Amino acid sequence: MSVSWRAPGRVNLIGEHTDYNEGFALPFAIEQGCTATVSTRTDAQLVVRSVQQDEPITVAPADLAPRAGGWAGYALGVAWALREDGRDVPGLTIELDSDVPVGSGLSSSAALVCSVATAVNDLLELGLDADALLALTRRTENDFVGAPTGGMDQLAALRSVADHALFCDMRSLATEAVHIALDGLRVLVIDTRAEHRHASGEYRRRREGCEAAARALGIRALRDLGPDDLDSALARLDEDELRRYVRHVVTKDERVLRTVELLRAGDTAAIGPLLTASQASMRDDFQITIPELDVAADTLVEAGALGARMTGGGFGGCVIGLVPTELVEAAGAAVEAAYARAGFRPPASFVAHPAAGARRIGA
Ligand code: GLA
């Protein structure tokens, strides 16, 4: 007996590095995803195979400890987290097939973890509900793999609704699907294919900086600052770096809320300036962009995009542009030309269609 589940990658429309500050984010799932086919074994081993990897990884239950398994850790960690919760996990064969480009900031890791978690939940009839699946997948990434991510990616992979963005309140973990009217518009994704240089260390530094700022301000998380508190909060912080982080997070939460209002009103075109303002905040205040991201975002806007911004953790990965349908091809070509002029590696691009979250495949 085996079951297959597919979980998607995501782009984040707006709201970056807000999740671990208990703020707001607005991702949507993309059509690219990871399919996990899971079956029980007659022995107790955990065997993980991937179409994208040469060698399968086999781990005995006794060796199932955080950081084990290399690339397979995202799958093995699900079994580990379930065992930590006192569940009995038999030997499993886990077969993976993903078309989310790795290292492009499109959450290939959350797609993998969520496909495995939903498939194992189904196969073993664990009865985990949406909240328990979220907790399980976050724990896998944070505690087993050791990636200090904030939870937005797993929420998007588990709960997205086709043709909608997922408005996430990262404090309550409540989500609301908000329709994205894309008549005459497309979300063009430019994958810079730039290496994620120092991405994990810089991500951790931002996260720790935000937490330090919240401590210095005597609040639980930066979410607790509204726009009216910003000036007094900035005046109370000594370090310029922390001031920049706080300004980014507070202004970003406001931009997410405004974007949600506009989408609810069906006015997708009007979110363009918010996307571009968000790019400036990530470039100047949070300092998580690199030249490839800046050139792609600027070029998209020059080529007629209504707005453009990097998406994901930063330091590489992708830019999204909200582009009138008739300009999509020319905008992609303009970025390619700008990259050639700058001596960057050629980018890849695709049009993203808001897709559904994790779902069972086949019978
Ligand atoms: C990565 C993390 C997320 C989130 C984004 C930035 O994708 O996995 O939790 O923090 O960066 O918004």
Side-chain angles (χ1 to χ4, degrees), residues 10 12 15-20 149-153 203 312-313:
R10 60 102 191 91
N12 188 15
E16 231 61 85
H17 288 254
T18 50
D19 56 359
Y20 54 77
T149 54
M152 165 181 72
D153 307 338
Y203 183 95

Side-chain angles (χ1 to χ4, degrees), residues 254-332:
E254 283 309 300
R255 279 191 290 269
V256 177
L257 296 174
R258 183 76 191 117
T259 302
V260 168
E261 276 169 22
L262 291 167
L263 290 183
R264 281 195 190 122
D267 197 358
T268 308
I271 74 171
L274 295 163
L275 303 183
T276 303
S278 154
Q279 165 69 12
S281 173
M282 293 186 289
R283 183 190 60 220
D284 303 334
D285 278 341
F286 221 57
Q287 300 188 357
I288 54 174
T289 69
I290 57 171
E292 286 88 337
L293 290 165
D294 296 337
V295 167
D298 293 348
T299 306
L300 285 175
V301 172
E302 282 158 21
L306 305 180
R309 64 183 289 274
M310 61 140 269
T311 188
F315 305 100
C318 291
V319 165
I320 55 169
L322 184 65
V323 185
T325 308
E326 68 277 12
L327 295 180
V328 164
E329 218 165 293

Side-chain angles (χ1 to χ4, degrees), residues 159-355:
R159 294 196 203 160
S160 285
V161 175
D163 300 323
H164 290 67
L166 194 70
F167 176 34
C168 304
D169 178 333
M170 298 305 303
R171 170 161 282 171
S172 66
L173 301 179
T175 50
E176 178 198 334
V178 182
H179 183 247
I180 312 185
L182 281 171
D183 326 285
L185 293 172
R186 293 290 176 270
V187 178
L188 176 63
V189 180
I190 306 285
D191 183 350
T192 63
R193 299 171 73 227
E195 270 175 54
H196 271 230
R197 287 177 291 256
H198 317 299
S200 60
E202 293 288 349
Y203 183 95
R204 198 178 288 275
R205 180 180 174 132
R206 300 301 181 285
R207 185 171 181 152
E208 288 172 0
C210 289
E211 287 163 0
R215 270 195 307 279
L217 295 167
I219 52 179
R220 169 171 150 175
L222 295 186
R223 152 73 174 269
D224 294 311
L225 294 177
D228 296 342
D229 310 316
L230 185 57
D231 287 343
S232 69
L234 295 180
R236 289 166 57 206
L237 292 170
D238 299 333
E239 278 179 62
D240 180 56
E241 180 176 346
L242 298 194
R243 278 200 295 269
R244 287 192 285 98
Y245 293 173
V246 169
R247 196 161 45 224
H248 167 77
V249 172
V250 173
T251 58
K252 194 60 162 255
D253 270 352
E254 283 309 300
R255 279 191 290 269
V256 177
L257 296 174
R258 183 76 191 117
T259 302
V260 168
E261 276 169 22
L262 291 167
L263 290 183
R264 281 195 190 122
D267 197 358
T268 308
I271 74 171
L274 295 163
L275 303 183
T276 303
S278 154
Q279 165 69 12
S281 173
M282 293 186 289
R283 183 190 60 220
D284 303 334
D285 278 341
F286 221 57
Q287 300 188 357
I288 54 174
T289 69
I290 57 171
E292 286 88 337
L293 290 165
D294 296 337
V295 167
D298 293 348
T299 306
L300 285 175
V301 172
E302 282 158 21
L306 305 180
R309 64 183 289 274
M310 61 140 269
T311 188
F315 305 100
C318 291
V319 165
I320 55 169
L322 184 65
V323 185
T325 308
E326 68 277 12
L327 295 180
V328 164
E329 218 165 293
V335 176
E336 274 178 34
Y339 268 43
R341 278 196 303 277
F344 300 154
R345 218 176 145 191
S349 66
F350 65 94
V351 170
H353 302 286

